[in-house]
Amino acid sequence: MLTPVTDAAGAPFWEYAARGELRVQACGDCGEPRFPPRPCCPHCQSFAAKWRPVSGQGRVWSYVVPHPPLLPEYAAQAPYNVVVVELADAPRIRLVGNVVSRAGAPLGSVDPGRLRIGARVHVVFGDGGLPQWVLA
Ligand SMILES: [Zn+2]
């Protein structure tokens, strides 16, 4: 498994995720959520930020099923999916991840044929607090 590489702006995302909480960075002045995390609000240029809890409900906005050539560890898990999930309560925020059968399940645990654009998903947290998605 690849482990997250964090930076100062994104570290809180992973700290909350390790506790089983999905939060997105939002502007401390205008309140607009933003992703990926960064120091400055693109809407009002404020440097104030807070971390807003979200429901973890979303929809598959897009997805791919990677094909070889793949890195060896991923080739062993193929076929698997990579999804872009649009959050229900922050529709402009889209997170990249994988749909799995349950928290901590392998990447290839869901038949890619079950995925559809618009499918409802909700977040679960796998090993090390990695956010993953399961079909609703
Ligand atoms: Zn702002």
Side-chain angles (χ1 to χ4, degrees), residues 26-121:
C27 178
D29 284 317
C30 77
E32 192 68 31
R34 62 182 184 256
F35 193 87
R38 50 196 181 276
C40 181
C41 174
H43 301 277
C44 75
Q45 287 72 52
S46 169
F47 281 85
K50 58 190 176 187
W51 285 83
R52 178 190 300 169
V54 292
S55 68
Q57 306 295 315
R59 286 180 183 271
V60 173
W61 187 78
S62 187
Y63 70 96
V64 295
V65 178
H67 292 277
L70 298 168
L71 293 172
E73 190 171 339
Y74 289 95
Q77 299 183 70
Y80 61 89
N81 63 80
V82 179
V83 295
V84 179
V85 172
E86 182 179 65
L87 297 180
D89 38 10
R92 284 192 292 278
I93 303 297
R94 299 179 187 132
L95 304 180
V96 175
N98 309 101
V99 173
V100 292
S101 60
R102 58 179 166 68
L107 288 184
S109 60
V110 169
D111 177 354
R114 294 182 58 203
L115 292 177
R116 295 288 181 272
I117 302 291
R120 291 175 193 269
V121 293

